[in-house]
Amino acid sequence: MNTTDLLEYLKETSSEMTRGNIDEAILLHFDLIMESYRKKPFFYKNLLKYDRFMVALSLLSFNYRNEQVPLSTVKAFCQARGYMSRNSLDSYFSFLVVSGYMNIQLDVQDGRQRSFQPTEKTLCAATLLLKSYLLPSQMLSPSDIELPGLGKSADLLRCYARGFARILESGFLLDKLLPEAKWILNRDGGHMPMLALYTDALRKGSLETGYKVSSYLEISSSLGVSKTHMQRMIKEGQLQGYFKCDKRLVELSPAFLDLIRRAMSICFAITRVGMELGVAEHEVRSKTLDVVSV
């Protein structure tokens, strides 16, 4: 699939996602991801910040395509994409190592380079995150692709990471397909504060009236972020026409509801297409190995 076809397919798949029950899919995604988030709020509110999340996905994608790729290659790629500065990347890599999510050592063939590997801890966390996107996408638009080793985390994640690498290389990601969403996605917690507002209103039946009734304190406490963090996000969104608010009550505008649904349909589409590309590559590799073995 060439770059032009990939972009068109992503757009078509995203559009297809919006024709399903997108609200139910968003609720499922939020509930699944919160199962992990509640256990380690500090880690996930840092990980899910958009630029940091893209760095983490880049690490996995580069590693699963080539286990010998040096860390400097991923760093250069992330800098070129503007995800983080050089110093910030060094600090983030150290954070992942200290947290037990990445191992780094000197390359055995070139002592000037460092190699890296995701840990078993990463495997478990990344697979849960993947399923929090993959299962809702299946709800919206059931796929006939056969997921290799769905019960085997390593196989599932490897398959997706290799397919996602194609999308990552193309640059057709959420910040490019929906740049107006990045102001909220690149905050602590990533899209979780955005979804917390949306799902809270949805579950209380207040989308019909346009009001969200939970307090800043309730939302911020559930996500491990400060009340001030939520207030600043709401104020910035208010300037952009996404909210109306007073000291306690927040009104979600139709523009905000549209932003959420568009953003999540793109996220689900990227996951679906990434998995399809990974499955296709897996099948090609399997056939090649069968031919060689014969």
Side-chain angles (χ1 to χ4, degrees):
M1 186 181 296
N2 62 39
T3 302
T4 301
D5 290 342
L6 177 58
L7 177 59
E8 287 304 310
Y9 189 48
L10 281 169
K11 289 180 177 179
E12 290 173 7
T13 306
S14 175
S15 178
E16 184 179 357
M17 295 293 174
T18 62
R19 292 194 288 271
N21 193 334
I22 188 71
D23 287 344
E24 285 299 317
I26 290 173
L27 285 174
L28 175 60
H29 168 71
F30 183 74
D31 289 344
L32 288 173
I33 207 168
M34 279 300 292
E35 290 179 12
S36 298
Y37 196 108
R38 289 190 186 96
K39 296 173 183 177
K40 295 184 177 181
F42 175 75
F43 174 76
Y44 281 98
K45 77 177 182 180
N46 281 279
L47 174 70
L48 295 175
K49 188 174 181 178
Y50 185 79
D51 283 345
R52 292 186 174 215
F53 192 47
M54 293 311 305
V55 171
L57 286 175
S58 298
L59 286 165
L60 283 174
S61 296
F62 273 80
N63 181 261
Y64 273 115
R65 296 201 84 175
N66 177 10
E67 293 182 359
Q68 304 303 317
V69 66
L71 187 61
S72 59
T73 299
V74 185
K75 182 189 294 187
F77 173 83
C78 293
Q79 279 186 263
R81 285 289 175 88
Y83 293 144
M84 298 172 74
S85 68
R86 181 182 181 84
N87 289 339
S88 295
L89 282 166
D90 286 335
S91 297
Y92 189 49
F93 293 156
S94 296
F95 168 74
L96 293 175
V97 171
V98 171
S99 302
Y101 289 92
M102 183 167 68
N103 291 325
I104 296 178
Q105 56 273 321
L106 291 178
D107 190 279
V108 293
Q109 296 181 341
D110 185 351
R112 297 169 300 177
Q113 299 285 358
R114 290 181 297 167
S115 59
F116 69 96
Q117 294 81 33
T119 64
E120 186 67 25
K121 196 174 180 180
T122 299
L123 176 63
C124 295
T127 302
L128 289 175
L129 282 174
L130 172 58
K131 289 182 178 180
S132 77
Y133 289 92
L134 186 59
L135 296 177
S137 77
Q138 288 287 90
M139 172 194 294
L140 289 171
S141 177
S143 173
D144 57 1
I145 61 173
E146 293 185 10
L147 300 179
L150 183 58
K152 299 177 182 178
S153 297
D155 293 340
L156 181 67
L157 187 58
R158 181 181 296 105
C159 191
Y160 175 71
R162 286 175 173 169
F164 177 78
R166 297 269 303 280
I167 302 176
L168 182 66
E169 183 181 2
S170 74
F172 297 140
L173 299 161
L174 186 60
D175 58 334
K176 186 171 183 178
L177 298 179
L178 192 66
E180 58 266 39
K182 194 172 181 182
W183 71 272
I184 196 168
L185 298 174
N186 213 29
R187 295 172 176 271
D188 284 349
H191 63 255
M192 297 305 285
M194 168 185 81
L195 291 183
L197 289 170
Y198 185 80
T199 57
D200 186 76
L202 191 62
R203 287 193 160 117
K204 287 182 170 63
S206 58
L207 283 185
E208 291 78 7
T209 61
Y211 292 94
K212 196 204 72 67
V213 295
S214 289
S215 68
Y216 291 116
L217 182 60
E218 289 172 320
I219 295 293
S220 61
S221 295
S222 68
L223 297 174
V225 299
S226 69
K227 178 181 176 181
T228 302
H229 176 76
M230 290 297 299
Q231 289 174 325
R232 287 174 178 168
M233 186 190 80
I234 296 297
K235 286 181 180 179
E236 184 175 346
Q238 188 173 13
L239 293 175
Q240 299 188 45
Y242 291 118
F243 308 113
K244 293 180 182 179
C245 55
D246 54 28
K247 292 182 179 180
R248 179 180 175 83
L249 198 64
V250 179
E251 181 179 346
L252 310 179
S253 74
F256 181 70
L257 306 185
D258 180 64
L259 181 73
I260 299 292
R261 289 165 177 155
R262 289 171 63 200
M264 292 313 302
S265 70
I266 291 171
C267 288
F268 295 145
I270 288 173
T271 304
R272 166 63 62 78
V273 174
M275 184 58 73
E276 289 179 350
L277 292 173
V279 169
E281 181 176 328
H282 174 80
E283 291 175 347
V284 170
R285 284 171 178 264
S286 298
K287 289 178 181 178
T288 302
L289 289 174
D290 288 343
V291 170
V292 172
S293 62
V294 172

